[in-house]
């Protein structure tokens, strides 16, 4: 039987990447299947999804601003427009299952799919559920989550802990250490610190790195510092023999393989990847994301003694002491590595797709 899958998720890479990973796994199982993505007209999914080889239709939708804003006046109009367009897309495409991975566009699409009695599944990446998924939770059949304790947001009987889809090239990074050292032209005898602030960059992490360069030198570390697109001009000349500055890291598998220690933001997918990588991590969550998701994601790991968590507001006081303590204690490094590896879910994409298959079987 030729199945049809409609998938919606976007606004950020954290919603788009899981949606594409799920589609790829479905395509591997059902090579004849048809796929259609639905996104928000002016967001990055309209570019990223076609790059991944899938068709996408856009809705005129955006989120409600948290502050008083003129943009909010257009929200009811956008919602009605998106609900109508979703209805037409569903009527024309006739999907067997609707899948949502969060972001504005998945709200109208999955709401209308549920009204048409199309089986629906949503995937929540964060340890604190997003507004869209909370709103949809009563309408869908299955909710795949990455963290324990999500029954405080969702009906318990619908939950399945699967983890978040992660890049499959991270499954065996331990075998890539030599290749990574050669790729980044690193010195074998030195330990390597990898610093990640996301593709656009993280201002506060970049400021910390600039301030700490002499501290890292005293610790005899070499540094791979990904400063991000927004900060390329500011930091591109701060490199040295032991400090490499990169706007992007195209080979994340090799960056992880090269690293002995990692400093990172705590977006849901970064956290899932770092559990798989299993290196000692310092999370510096962004305080500027919706509902402080990143702090909650990092807490879910640090509370299990599987990573260090330092808030941006505490960096000046705590960073050097906590980081020194970690890199001078092999016992601490070992326990952080072992504990974070226990939280890894390498089969997340397959497990999510198995839940989708069960929904197909309820239709047949």
């Amino acid at each position: 039987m030729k199945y049809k899958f409609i998938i919606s998720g976007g606004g950020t890479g954290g919603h788009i990447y899981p949606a594409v990973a799920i589609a790829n796994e479905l395509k591997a199982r059902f090579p004849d299947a048809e796929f259609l993505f639905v996104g928000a007209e002016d967001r990055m999914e309209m570019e990223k999804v076609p790059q991944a080889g899938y068709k996408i239709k856009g809705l005129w939708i955006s989120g409600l601003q948290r502050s008083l804003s003129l943009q909010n006046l257009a929200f009811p109009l956008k919602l009605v427009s998106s609900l109508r367009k979703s209805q037409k897309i569903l009527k024309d495409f006739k999907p067997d299952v609707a899948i949502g991975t969060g972001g504005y566009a998945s709200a109208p699409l999955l709401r209308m799919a549920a009204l048409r009695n199309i089986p629906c599944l949503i995937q929540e990446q964060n340890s604190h559920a997003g507004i869209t998924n909370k709103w949809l939770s009563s309408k869908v059949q299955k909710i795949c989550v990455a963290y324990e304790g999500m029954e405080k947001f969702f009906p318990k009987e619908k939950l399945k802990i699967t983890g978040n889809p992660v890049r499959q090239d991270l499954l065996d990074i331990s075998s890539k250490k030599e290749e990574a050292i050669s790729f980044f032209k690193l010195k074998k005898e030195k330990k390597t610190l990898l610093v990640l602030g996301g593709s656009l960059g993280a201002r506060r992490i970049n400021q910390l790195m600039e301030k700490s360069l002499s501290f890292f030198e005293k610790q005899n570390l070499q540094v791979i510092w990904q400063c991000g697109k927004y900060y390329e001009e500011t930091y591109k000349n701060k490199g040295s023999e032991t400090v490499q500055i990169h706007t992007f890291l195209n080979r994340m598998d090799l960056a992880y393989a090269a690293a002995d220690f990692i400093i990172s933001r705590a977006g849901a997918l970064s956290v899932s990847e770092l559990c798989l990588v299993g290196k000692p991590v310092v999370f510096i969550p962004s305080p500027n994301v919706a509902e402080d998701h990143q702090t909650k994601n990092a807490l879910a790991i640090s509370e299990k003694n599987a990573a260090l968590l330092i808030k941006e507001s505490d960096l000046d006081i705590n960073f050097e002491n906590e980081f020194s303590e970690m890199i001078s204690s092999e016992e601490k490094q070992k326990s952080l590595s072992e504990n974070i590896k226990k939280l890894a879910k390498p089969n997340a994409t397959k497990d999510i797709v198995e839940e989708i298959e069960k929904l197909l079987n309820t239709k047949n």
Side-chain angles (χ1 to χ4, degrees), residues 201-217:
R203 184 173 67 93
R204 191 65 188 89
I205 290 180
N206 286 334
Q207 289 171 343
L208 174 75
M209 287 307 105
E210 185 178 17
K211 180 188 161 197
S212 306
L213 290 178
S214 59
F215 164 71
F216 295 139
E217 203 167 314

Side-chain angles (χ1 to χ4, degrees), residues 203-204 265 285-295 312:
R203 184 173 67 93
R204 191 65 188 89
R265 283 300 202 204
S286 169
N288 310 314
V289 293
E291 297 173 73
D292 205 14
H293 274 154
Q294 289 204 7
T295 302
E312 278 195 359

